[in-house]
Amino acid sequence: MTDASKTAATRVKPVPIDLALQGGGSHGAFTWGVLDRLLQEPWLRIEGISGTSAGAMNAAVLASGYAHDGAEGARRALERFWRSIADAARFSPLRPGLLSMMLGRWTLDDSPVFLALDMMARVVSPYDMNPAGINPLSAIFVDQVDFDALRDSPIKLFVTATQVRNGRGRVFRNADLTPEVLLASACLPTLFQAVEIDGEPYWDGGYAGNPTLTPLIRESAANDTILVQVSPVERVATPRTARDIINRVNEIAFNAPLLKELRMIALLRRAADPGTAEGRHWAAMRMHRIDSPQMAALDYSSKLNAEWGFVQMLCEEGRRAAGAFLAEHGACLGKRSSFDFDQLLEGVVA
């Protein structure tokens, strides 16, 4: 019996958890693998999910599938969704170059189409490159997500998008979710036109919250939040090429709101008055994290690679990382944090 199985066998009651899912293009397939593995544990009950960009897509697909057929329905829905993404990219010109394919690498850095697109994105607006505002994900959302089911879902969803006009994040909840909301949460401004919702233009939610944690704390009954981290917080080497520098700038920008919220939570936990209901709630908050060093080894261009082989590899790595987390920290769920908040307050990022 594995450590995870032993943990499950000793649980009398289900442990309510929240999930915080980062964005990251096709790297979100890693999150699919994590979710697929967690959904196999009957002692884990998902109360709420906060997601941004690819994290928001995973959240909506999971909740849609769960509404129809529980955990197994959610697993099947996630697989169908990612297969649809890969099928849509089957004839895409964004593919690894010959050298990368020969070496078994997933980067697009030697793809002539990617290099041209990357250069154009720096000088040409998406309003000029794609005047019709076509986004192939729109049809996939309509086909794969039951938005009516999300409105009555037992899982609370929180999807973040960034308001272009003032730079503030807006969190959309179950009743607000539409294909446009998911497109807005994943709208990179150099690739896509801003998505308008109720007359307000929106860009990728990662600029404001990747993902946003506060709604989980305020509106979910669970005290345990599992952060599925796709974007590396730390890199040892100093980036030197122009593309690596831009990639690192984007990683820092997309992680900054998350780190700020984590530090806020750490401060509130430390200052919470256990004599009040709100104080006890903050003091009881427990944070956990699932990540993988393999994600840090992937470059920016691979986020646009949606080949099934790559997607499948990321999914398997996500399943492995989730299994390792359950084996090492599964017993912490419902009892204590496995993420060290104090290091955040000391300025050290774990």
Side-chain angles (χ1 to χ4, degrees):
M1 183 179 288
T2 65
D3 291 340
S5 299
K6 291 177 182 177
T7 300
T10 59
R11 297 285 183 172
V12 177
K13 294 182 180 180
V15 176
I17 61 169
D18 290 330
L19 299 171
L21 311 180
Q22 282 197 319
S26 64
H27 291 186
F30 170 82
T31 301
W32 163 33
V34 171
L35 298 175
D36 187 71
R37 180 63 185 85
L38 295 180
L39 285 164
Q40 288 183 294
E41 298 296 327
W43 58 280
L44 295 177
R45 186 179 73 238
I46 301 173
E47 293 283 333
I49 309 177
S50 179
T52 296
S53 192
M57 299 176 198
N58 277 317
V61 172
L62 183 154
S64 176
Y66 194 94
H68 288 284
D69 197 17
E72 287 305 309
R75 294 181 66 203
R76 289 193 296 270
L78 284 164
E79 181 174 2
R80 284 196 304 270
F81 173 74
W82 283 100
R83 281 190 179 274
S84 295
I85 294 291
D87 287 345
R90 185 175 298 168
F91 302 107
S92 169
L94 285 171
R95 307 180 71 85
L98 181 60
L99 179 61
S100 291
M101 289 190 286
M102 291 174 61
L103 296 175
R105 299 167 59 213
W106 299 107
T107 181
L108 299 179
D109 279 355
D110 59 350
S111 163
V113 175
F114 170 76
L115 294 174
L117 181 64
D118 187 48
M119 183 67 68
M120 290 179 63
R122 301 170 198 270
V123 295
V124 182
S125 163
Y127 291 85
D128 297 322
M129 287 195 296
N130 184 13
I134 298 172
N135 191 321
L137 288 174
S138 181
I140 294 177
F141 291 150
V142 172
D143 184 53
Q144 300 287 335
V145 180
D146 184 346
F147 289 93
D148 290 330
L150 295 186
R151 295 181 178 89
D152 299 318
S153 172
I155 300 174
K156 295 181 179 180
L157 298 180
F158 307 97
V159 172
T160 301
T162 303
Q163 297 181 17
V164 178
R165 181 174 53 84
N166 56 29
R168 297 174 184 169
R170 175 179 171 184
V171 177
F172 296 85
R173 290 159 174 80
N174 295 59
D176 307 318
L177 296 182
T178 63
E180 289 71 30
V181 169
L182 296 183
L183 291 174
S185 183
C187 180
L188 289 173
T190 56
L191 296 180
F192 301 107
Q193 296 183 21
V195 178
E196 286 202 8
I197 302 172
D198 299 328
E200 186 79 32
Y202 289 89
W203 280 341
D204 195 294
Y207 297 110
N210 191 25
T212 305
L213 300 178
T214 308
L216 293 175
I217 299 171
R218 290 178 173 174
E219 301 178 38
S220 172
N223 288 326
D224 289 78
T225 298
I226 300 177
L227 168 66
V228 182
Q229 196 152 17
V230 173
S231 182
V233 172
E234 291 189 10
R235 287 191 182 273
V236 176
T238 301
R240 297 187 180 278
T241 68
R243 188 174 294 112
D244 286 344
I245 291 170
I246 292 173
N247 179 46
R248 187 58 186 149
V249 167
N250 287 333
E251 286 178 345
I252 292 172
F254 280 129
N255 276 319
L258 171 66
L259 293 175
K260 183 177 181 180
E261 273 198 289
L262 286 171
R263 292 191 181 99
M264 178 196 72
I265 294 170
L267 285 168
L268 289 172
R269 287 177 79 252
R270 181 175 290 185
D273 180 0
T276 66
E278 185 175 0
R280 286 192 295 272
H281 176 67
W282 280 101
M285 290 307 304
R286 297 180 286 267
M287 183 64 65
H288 315 273
R289 180 173 65 179
I290 298 176
D291 61 356
S292 167
Q294 283 201 24
M295 301 307 295
L298 299 173
D299 59 25
Y300 165 76
S301 69
S302 64
K303 294 179 180 180
L304 298 178
N305 183 356
E307 289 186 83
W308 177 244
F310 182 49
V311 166
Q312 201 170 29
M313 182 276 288
L314 289 172
C315 177
E316 287 303 316
E317 177 58 19
R319 282 186 55 83
R320 186 209 61 78
F325 167 81
L326 290 171
E328 185 175 358
H329 300 298
C332 296
L333 292 168
K335 297 179 181 179
R336 58 187 178 276
S337 289
S338 59
F339 180 88
D340 190 352
F341 280 104
D342 291 334
Q343 287 192 353
L344 289 171
L345 296 180
E346 294 166 3
V348 179
V349 180

